Amino acid sequence: MVSVFAEDYFLFPVVAIALAGLMVLLCRWAFSKAKGGSLVRRVDHRPADRDAFGLLIDIRTVPNYNDARVLVSRLRDFGIKATAARTTDGWTVYVWPKDEAAARGLLETP
């Protein structure tokens, strides 16, 4: 026979509310904007300097994202690994040093 006590009916809602409150506090802490209060990685959306990309060589800088993606796509079609990044001058297309001459030659032709 199962016996049900009044404490069981009282204890379950209290534990459920306490766990929900704990989750709210945890989420509030995790996504807070307070400096040093969160472990969630922040993304820096500011434009970078053109020389901040290590070994990559900047090939051409264009004013908008779409033009940069077109150039990257054209280079990738010819087997050249390329990427684009937002810099202080606009959108810059980067390639590896071994592909620099081929990329410059390809982008010079119309």
Side-chain angles (χ1 to χ4, degrees):
M1 175 157 195
V2 177
S3 64
V4 178
F5 296 103
E7 293 87 23
D8 293 336
Y9 285 110
F10 175 75
L11 188 61
F12 179 75
V14 169
V15 170
I17 291 171
L19 287 176
L22 183 66
M23 288 301 295
V24 167
L25 290 175
L26 181 67
C27 287
R28 184 180 169 119
W29 168 78
F31 298 105
S32 68
K33 296 211 185 260
K35 193 168 195 172
S38 174
L39 296 179
V40 177
R41 180 174 172 255
R42 301 284 182 230
V43 177
D44 187 9
H45 293 288
R46 291 177 295 170
D49 293 328
R50 286 177 66 178
D51 60 349
F53 294 94
L55 292 176
L56 294 175
I57 306 291
D58 58 327
I59 299 299
R60 184 176 291 171
T61 301
V62 292
N64 58 39
Y65 176 75
N66 289 333
D67 292 342
R69 294 311 307 167
V70 167
L71 294 176
V72 168
S73 177
R74 186 186 311 168
L75 291 171
R76 286 186 180 169
D77 287 344
F78 284 93
I80 298 173
K81 293 180 181 178
T83 189
R86 189 171 142 219
T87 61
T88 53
D89 299 331
W91 284 88
T92 304
V93 177
Y94 292 95
V95 297
W96 290 103
K98 68 179 180 75
D99 296 329
E100 179 183 6
R104 288 189 190 277
L106 183 65
L107 293 182
E108 292 300 321
T109 61

